[in-house]
Amino acid sequence: MKKSISFIYLLFLVLTLSCSKNDVEFEEAAIDNPFDKENALNTNAQRSMGSGVMMQAFYWDVPDGGTWWNTVSTKVADWSNAGIDAIWLPPASKAQNGPFSMGYDPFDYYDFGNYNQMGSTETRFGSLTELQNLITTAHNSNVSVIADIVINHNSGGGSEANPFTGGNTWTDFQPASGNFLRSSYDFHPNDYHSNDYGAFGGFPDLCHHKSYVQDWLWNNSNSVAKYYKNTIGFDGWRFDYVKGFEPWVVNSWVNAVGGFAVGEYWDSNVSTLDWWTSQANASAFDFACYYAMRDAFSNNDLNNLNNNMLWKVNGSKAVTFVANHDTDEIFNNKILAYAYILTHEGYPTIFYRDYEEWLDKNKLNNLIWIHNNLASGSTDILHVDNDEYIAKRNGYNSSGLIVYINNSDSWLERWVPTNWSNTVIKDYTGNSSWEPTTQSGTWVKIQAPPHGYTVWSTK
């Protein structure tokens, strides 16, 4: 009996000591902040989608077997409590590879796991009922749901004689839903024109100039867009491979059904990204920011953070990210990259595996809290060199913040200007115990740990 009691006591000590300093400091930061902790965690309920933090709720080759929708459902409440305001799901409808497909080879836009075709009834992710249960769970947790829309190309059609090529093409689409039947007249080349911006991977390339295609994609009362929104319950849109068609396509979709929209325009040219967002009436993933961070944190030269990025040109249209299902090149100092996007302008996205498997979830939750409660207003870059990066958010609905990223091997300190005069400030990450008072001229000395970061704001 004495041995059992000793074991329980030892276990209690281990569990108690395992609470890191970061955990304690995060709890204190949430309580001491001008927003109380309960309100801070539920701030996303009052935010419109695009002003909080998005979770990419999948990765390439998630487990097959129809379990993914249920897996995500179990996590939504915790994500919401952490401050996530939207989840981005993979392409949800039936694709050519049926139970094994990640959805980027779409066949039947109206089959969400309820028709027996392409080798299965369920999709890789689950059934229609499980998808709708997930969406209901998300909505009950004040979390919006973003659909991945793949409308550049299709896959899985039967062979037919094609009068525009003089041979046979795989363009005869007869989906079991009976909706959006397609033929060679709906793909390139056809009787309208031979091609648009670009085809992908040899798949049949949809022609968005055909009125029949437009009607089925967004115009009809039972169009794909309206079915996704009104029947399935999606709130927003992530458009795949938008380089393959003109931006007016996304604009037309958004005009027909509304909702937040972001396009995957894979290009690091900021002017091109900015042009696309204005033409498409949508946001774009900030690939310019992604590549600047890759070069900064992987090559150990933070001067790259001085590069131009979409968030610097139009922060309201920039969706920032550190990794996604297609690209994950920031292997070193990845948490520093998250400290960057979660304190700067733009709509930051967290990658599922970074949050659930690879990085410190407590640190990410802390940064999400900082983003949702402190990171507002315009941005001023205060200092940048090989190892240091310091920037100031000037505040809008809050007092703003100063973020200090240190990629050197030792603690660093630096005097910086603030927006606060004769004011006590603190580090809301818990990485520094300093609580300095700003001078009457607003200057203050702050510090950051090696290969770490601090985020400063008023107490």
Side-chain angles (χ1 to χ4, degrees):
M1 186 69 171
K2 181 178 180 181
K3 182 178 180 180
S4 299
I5 294 173
S6 300
F7 173 78
I8 293 171
Y9 178 70
L10 179 61
L11 179 62
F12 171 78
L13 284 177
V14 170
L15 292 173
T16 302
L17 292 173
S18 68
C19 294
S20 67
K21 177 184 177 183
N22 186 74
D23 297 341
V24 174
E25 290 293 336
F26 170 65
E27 292 294 326
E28 292 177 351
I31 294 170
D32 291 345
N33 191 60
F35 302 87
D36 65 71
K37 184 183 177 186
E38 180 180 358
N39 287 336
L41 291 176
N42 290 316
T43 300
N44 62 298
Q46 286 76 48
R47 290 176 180 268
S48 60
M49 182 172 25
S51 61
V53 178
M54 181 201 305
M55 175 69 71
Q56 180 178 356
F58 68 99
Y59 53 92
W60 197 259
D61 283 346
V62 301
D64 57 23
T67 62
W68 192 249
W69 296 148
N70 289 338
T71 296
V72 174
S73 290
T74 65
K75 300 180 181 298
V76 167
D78 287 342
W79 291 348
S80 175
N81 287 336
I84 298 297
D85 72 349
I87 56 174
W88 158 25
L89 300 184
S93 61
K94 188 68 62 66
Q96 179 182 8
N97 287 316
F100 308 108
S101 176
M102 284 299 296
Y104 291 95
D105 51 339
F107 173 73
D108 189 343
Y109 289 104
Y110 295 82
D111 179 2
F112 293 87
N114 48 314
Y115 292 97
N116 187 359
Q117 58 183 337
M118 294 299 163
S120 67
T121 297
E122 290 191 346
T123 67
R124 182 190 191 101
F125 314 113
S127 67
L128 168 63
T129 299
E130 290 164 344
L131 172 61
Q132 290 183 309
N133 287 342
L134 164 58
I135 292 173
T136 298
T137 298
H139 289 166
N140 289 341
S141 299
N142 299 311
V143 173
S144 299
V145 184
I146 297 173
D148 202 317
I149 303 299
V150 186
I151 55 173
N152 174 74
H153 53 273
N154 290 167
S155 188
S159 178
E160 65 175 348
N162 189 326
F164 310 107
T165 64
N168 276 41
T169 53
W170 301 95
T171 49
D172 182 19
F173 285 79
Q174 304 290 328
S177 67
N179 294 316
F180 197 12
L181 309 182
R182 282 146 283 165
S183 73
S184 59
Y185 284 83
D186 306 311
F187 299 93
H188 296 113
N190 57 37
D191 54 343
Y192 185 89
H193 60 183
S194 60
N195 61 274
D196 59 2
Y197 274 25
F200 180 81
F203 292 115
D205 189 56
L206 268 176
C207 179
H208 303 93
H209 287 85
K210 299 299 288 284
S211 59
Y212 177 82
V213 173
Q214 294 175 21
D215 287 344
W216 272 109
L217 285 182
W218 61 79
N219 281 333
N220 289 345
S221 60
N222 64 332
S223 65
V224 174
K226 292 170 185 174
Y227 192 84
Y228 267 62
K229 180 180 180 181
N230 301 328
T231 301
I232 305 302
F234 284 105
D235 307 293
W237 325 102
R238 179 266 184 189
F239 288 92
D240 181 67
Y241 190 61
V242 295
K243 274 190 171 183
F245 49 90
E246 295 92 331
W248 63 262
V249 173
V250 172
N251 199 340
S252 297
W253 180 295
V254 173
N255 285 338
V257 294
F260 172 83
V262 57
E264 182 209 30
Y265 200 102
W266 200 319
D267 199 306
S268 62
N269 186 295
V270 175
S271 297
T272 302
L273 293 173
D274 189 39
W275 164 82
W276 187 88
T277 64
S278 64
Q279 296 296 307
N281 189 27
S283 296
F285 286 103
D286 195 345
F287 280 94
C289 177
Y290 170 79
Y291 285 117
M293 290 192 300
R294 181 199 63 182
D295 294 342
F297 297 115
S298 296
N299 299 332
N300 297 315
D301 185 359
L302 300 193
N303 285 300
N304 288 286
L305 298 180
N306 250 343
N307 295 352
N308 200 15
M309 308 174 195
L310 182 59
W311 75 255
K312 297 182 181 182
V313 174
N314 191 349
S316 66
K317 294 296 186 181
V319 177
T320 53
F321 66 100
V322 174
N324 63 29
H325 63 293
D326 281 329
T327 184
D328 187 5
E329 301 172 277
I330 304 175
F331 302 116
N332 300 320
N333 306 307
K334 184 179 273 191
I335 194 65
L336 302 187
Y338 275 109
Y340 182 83
I341 68 169
L342 286 161
T343 54
H344 284 66
E345 294 173 59
Y347 184 25
T349 304
I350 293 181
F351 184 46
Y352 178 94
R353 301 198 83 170
D354 286 339
Y355 187 85
E356 292 291 340
E357 300 176 20
W358 293 337
L359 298 181
D360 188 326
K361 186 181 294 188
N362 290 320
K363 290 182 178 180
L364 287 172
N365 282 342
N366 171 246
L367 286 169
I368 294 169
W369 185 92
I370 286 170
H371 174 272
N372 288 350
N373 294 286
L374 300 176
S376 65
S378 60
T379 304
D380 294 328
I381 298 175
L382 304 180
H383 178 83
V384 62
D385 61 32
N386 233 38
D387 297 322
E388 295 174 82
Y389 175 87
I390 307 175
K392 177 177 66 171
R393 294 296 299 277
N394 292 304
Y396 179 65
N397 291 323
S398 66
S399 56
L401 61 80
I402 295 175
V403 56
Y404 190 168
I405 296 174
N406 173 12
N407 199 31
S408 75
D409 295 329
S410 59
W411 279 86
L412 294 177
E413 302 172 359
R414 189 166 293 276
W415 283 90
V416 294
T418 75
N419 291 334
W420 315 299
S421 178
N422 298 316
T423 302
V424 178
I425 64 172
K426 64 177 290 184
D427 166 34
Y428 276 83
T429 71
N431 291 327
S432 171
S433 60
W434 282 11
E435 292 191 4
T437 301
T438 63
Q439 296 181 340
S440 58
T442 74
W443 283 74
V444 71
K445 182 190 281 188
I446 57 176
Q447 64 175 186
H451 301 289
Y453 56 91
T454 48
V455 180
W456 305 82
S457 190
T458 55
K459 285 191 68 176

